[in-house]
């Protein structure tokens, strides 16, 4: 399929959010990881063949760049999850969709949970995959599972060091260690460097990493009324 056009939605706090609208079927909002670039995603063959095109066969897909990433506006002060939920709200309004399911990954999982908690009348179902939960949730998980070692790359400090050293240079980052299946797709690893450059400069990556470090869904998650499927 052809790359769908990029459209823009304006949030109630005056942030312009880039999004795409494609496919036919029940509406679903893809809340992606913290660092995206809408047109760049379609140039990553693995993402296009395994996610975007198959999803469009049976669903109306709405996908967007988070504020501070890709083609959407940036920010000065780190936005809260309530503010980031406005991005989803604006995209739904701009697309003329009253109610949709949400599929969240990484930061997108936190945003999806926050949106479902704050706007239950506009949230159908949740699917959360490898989603972030936040420092309080991480502390609770570590207390319940002391034998499980948290990988160093999960810390903001480790990610900032990775950005300083290697973002956009084509280096096989630490994420390969925690995502060994990526090694089966060398084309994806090769394309990642170009994609990282599209997302933004090192300053863009740094600001987003610092902005999401303390986001936490511990208090919002119990408020979610929608059915949810959680996978890791």
């Amino acid at each position: 399929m052809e790359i769908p056009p990029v459209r823009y939605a304006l949030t109630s706090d005056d942030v312009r959010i880039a999004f795409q609208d494609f496919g036919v079927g029940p509406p679903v909002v893809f809340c992606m990881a913290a660092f995206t670039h809408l047109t760049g995603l379609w140039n990553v063959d693995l993402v296009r063949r395994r996610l975007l095109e198959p999803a469009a066969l049976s669903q109306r897909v709405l996908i967007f760049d988070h504020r501070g990433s890709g083609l959407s506006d940036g920010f000065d002060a780190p936005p809260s999850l309530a503010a980031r939920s406005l991005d989803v709200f604006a995209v739904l309004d701009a697309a003329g969709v009253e109610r949709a399911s949400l599929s969240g990954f990484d930061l997108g999982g936190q945003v999806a949970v926050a949106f479902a908690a704050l706007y239950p009348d506009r949230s159908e179902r949740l699917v959360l995959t490898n989603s972030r939960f936040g420092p309080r949730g991480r502390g609770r998980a570590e207390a319940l599972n002391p034998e499980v070692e948290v990988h160093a790359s999960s810390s903001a400090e480790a990610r900032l060091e990775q950005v300083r050293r290697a973002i956009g240079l084509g280096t096989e980052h630490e994420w390969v260690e925690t995502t060994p299946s990526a090694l089966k797709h060398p084309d994806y690893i090769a394309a990642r460097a170009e994609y990282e450059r599209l997302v933004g400069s090192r300053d863009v990556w740094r600001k987003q990493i610092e902005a999401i470090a303390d986001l936490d869904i511990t208090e919002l998650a119990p408020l979610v009324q929608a059915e949810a499927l959680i996978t890791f």
Side-chain angles (χ1 to χ4, degrees), residues 172-206:
E172 290 188 11
H173 306 319
E174 287 87 344
W175 61 266
V176 176
E177 297 178 16
T178 56
T179 315
S181 59
L183 293 173
K184 294 188 289 187
H185 305 283
D187 290 346
Y188 171 70
I189 294 175
R192 186 176 171 98
E194 180 181 356
Y195 181 71
E196 288 172 351
R197 292 191 289 269
L198 281 175
V199 168
S201 67
R202 292 197 305 179
D203 284 343
V204 168
W205 284 76
R206 175 187 55 76

Side-chain angles (χ1 to χ4, degrees), residues 25 50 77 131 142 194 197 211 217:
R50 297 287 185 91
S131 295
E142 290 173 349
E194 180 181 356
R197 292 191 289 269
I217 59 170

Side-chain angles (χ1 to χ4, degrees), residues 40 48 55 90 99 105 175 179 227:
R48 183 171 187 156
R99 187 177 175 91
F105 174 78
W175 61 266
T179 315
E227 294 180 353

Side-chain angles (χ1 to χ4, degrees), residues 84-103:
R84 290 181 181 276
S85 297
L86 296 176
D87 301 354
V88 180
F89 196 100
V91 167
L92 288 178
D93 278 358
V97 174
E98 182 60 31
R99 187 177 175 91
S101 295
L102 299 104
S103 177

Side-chain angles (χ1 to χ4, degrees), residues 22-105:
F22 57 95
V24 178
V28 57
V29 180
F30 279 8
C31 303
M32 302 291 282
F35 302 98
T36 56
H37 186 287
L38 285 181
T39 54
L41 276 175
W42 291 87
N43 294 326
V44 180
D45 189 57
L46 182 64
V47 175
R48 183 171 187 156
R49 287 187 295 107
R50 297 287 185 91
L51 176 63
L52 301 178
E53 291 182 338
L57 295 176
S58 59
Q59 300 167 101
R60 179 182 176 185
V61 179
L62 298 169
I63 190 170
F64 66 97
D65 285 337
H66 294 283
R67 58 179 68 195
S69 184
L71 300 174
S72 291
D73 285 351
F75 52 78
D76 295 320
S80 65
L81 282 172
R84 290 181 181 276
S85 297
L86 296 176
D87 301 354
V88 180
F89 196 100
V91 167
L92 288 178
D93 278 358
V97 174
E98 182 60 31
R99 187 177 175 91
S101 295
L102 299 104
S103 177
F105 174 78

Side-chain angles (χ1 to χ4, degrees), residues 157-177:
E157 293 79 7
R159 291 286 288 132
L160 288 170
E161 174 60 18
Q162 179 182 335
V163 165
R164 187 189 68 79
R165 289 187 289 102
I167 284 297
L169 299 181
T171 306
E172 290 188 11
H173 306 319
E174 287 87 344
W175 61 266
V176 176
E177 297 178 16

